[in-house]
Amino acid sequence: MAELANHAMLHRASDSDAADAHALPPLSDAPVSQWRALAERAVEANGYYQPDWELAVNASARGRTGAAALSAVSEAGQLIGLLPVFPMQRIYKLPLPALVGAEPYGTLCTPLLDRDSAEDAAAQLLRQARNSGAHALILRTMSLQGPAMAAIEAALARDGLRPRMLSAYARAALDATRDADELLRDAVGAKKLKELRRQRNRLADHGAVRFDVARSPREVAAALEIFLTLEAGGWKGKRGTALSQYAGDAAFIRRATMAMAEAGRCEIITLHAGETPVAGGIVVRHQDRAFFFKIGIDQRFAKYSPGTQLTLDLTRHLCADPAIASADSTAAPGHPMIDPIWRERFAIGDVLIPLRRRDPLVPVIHAAVRMHSLGYEAARGAAHFIRNRRRKSG
């Protein structure tokens, strides 16, 4: 608090030392063919930073448009690193000299780094951020234990720097190399699986239960509209966070899924009871990893656990696919539906990366982010309290 109240420091940060994202090229100008090639060579998968996805986000998604690009290039002119960014002021509403990794709707901001030169690529990204006037780079929802973070830490160590951990948690992930039936028995247990089979049989009273996977662009386009209807009809629609409720978000997801389907990197899964879709989800693919982006269910069938039934079928589908080794749930930590099913854990966190040694502005930036996070958590807790009170009184 005392540091943030230092008006001289804030004045300095907001004037001559403010990070100028306008000095960086816009993400929309990134060479798409080289970006695609980099995604194929990336040392760590991030389905949400593939160009067909992130450019669609950048074009129209609510609150996520107009990103700049940190990039790294080899001596031969080949793109070897890429990270979409925003100035800190846009994200945290404070005029501090930092850049923040752009959140691509999917909660993963691991930069794309060439597997053959990951450390050099990371060093270039950090240098470009520093040259833009930034004193820190903030990576939200960053993979903490993968090779991308290791490359960033090695690049920082060259200059005697270390990252600062802002927050960390573990979210559900799937080891898709295992036999699905064995995995589900170990994770869920025989008793729970028996109950889920009973619910599935009761669901079948409404028509034969089937699990469909849309892959081609035409199939994906049709299945997406079913998904959007399911999502809008559930709790996300009531909260006003369903994709179809905002024109920009709807345009993003339609563009992204179509383009990704063209490249074989997107599937839309749907669980039907007869002709009625009861649950649906969007799955993004990158290298040997799948990303479970979103799920929607028909609340009329909630007593049959349609979201869980869909996830069980997705688990079998991914475990049967030799091209997929793992899947990221991209779910919140402790998610009550998927955590008991996908028992592997993926370490995620928010990381502050200082760009200069003994920089007095880094503690200011760190404190500002912590205060913002505390305010967000307090607001979210208040919203949960109000919703719970309304449910009880209703």
Side-chain angles (χ1 to χ4, degrees), residues 38 41-44 80-82 111-119 121-122 125 147-149 151-152:
L38 170 61
R41 302 190 311 273
V43 71
E44 187 169 351
I80 59 171
L82 184 73
L112 299 180
L113 304 174
D114 191 304
R115 67 171 66 97
D116 294 327
S117 49
E119 185 178 329
L125 296 181
M149 190 69 230
I152 291 170

Side-chain angles (χ1 to χ4, degrees), residues 99-273:
L99 294 170
V100 183
E103 192 270 296
Y105 232 114
T107 53
L108 187 63
C109 294
T110 304
L112 299 180
L113 304 174
D114 191 304
R115 67 171 66 97
D116 294 327
S117 49
E119 185 178 329
D120 287 341
Q124 280 195 50
L125 296 181
L126 300 181
R127 188 181 312 120
Q128 190 180 29
R130 184 168 58 245
N131 291 343
S132 77
H135 287 241
L137 175 63
I138 299 166
L139 298 177
R140 301 173 295 168
T141 58
M142 171 72 189
S143 168
L144 296 180
Q145 296 175 353
M149 190 69 230
I152 291 170
E153 290 175 334
L156 285 170
R158 295 180 184 180
D159 297 322
L161 296 168
R162 296 176 61 187
R164 293 182 174 214
M165 192 66 59
L166 299 170
S167 64
Y169 63 92
R171 68 186 180 207
L174 171 69
D175 177 2
T177 65
R178 293 188 58 188
D179 175 78
D181 291 333
E182 177 185 320
L183 182 150
L184 291 172
R185 280 195 304 271
D186 290 346
V188 180
K191 183 177 180 181
K192 180 62 175 178
L193 283 175
K194 182 178 179 180
E195 171 61 17
L196 288 167
R197 283 193 296 270
R198 186 194 67 79
Q199 292 178 344
R200 196 177 184 101
N201 290 335
R202 298 289 72 78
L203 180 60
D205 292 341
H206 298 269
V209 178
R210 73 178 192 278
F211 173 72
D212 289 341
V213 181
R215 296 184 179 88
S216 72
R218 180 177 294 181
E219 292 171 344
V220 163
L224 177 64
E225 299 308 315
I226 294 172
F227 169 81
L228 292 175
T229 300
L230 286 168
E231 187 190 39
W235 63 266
K236 292 178 186 177
K238 292 178 181 177
R239 285 193 188 179
T241 59
L243 287 165
S244 63
Q245 291 177 300
Y246 296 90
D249 288 353
F252 136 65
I253 197 61
R254 289 186 175 108
R255 171 179 165 177
T257 52
M258 283 290 289
M260 298 281 278
E262 290 276 4
R265 295 185 180 133
C266 178
E267 297 174 340
I268 300 194
I269 55 174
T270 310
L271 188 70
H272 293 264

Side-chain angles (χ1 to χ4, degrees), residues 32 34 57 84 108 119 209 215 252 313 352 385:
V32 175
Q34 288 207 40
V57 171
L108 187 63
E119 185 178 329
V209 178
R215 296 184 179 88
F252 136 65
D313 284 343
L352 187 151
F385 175 78

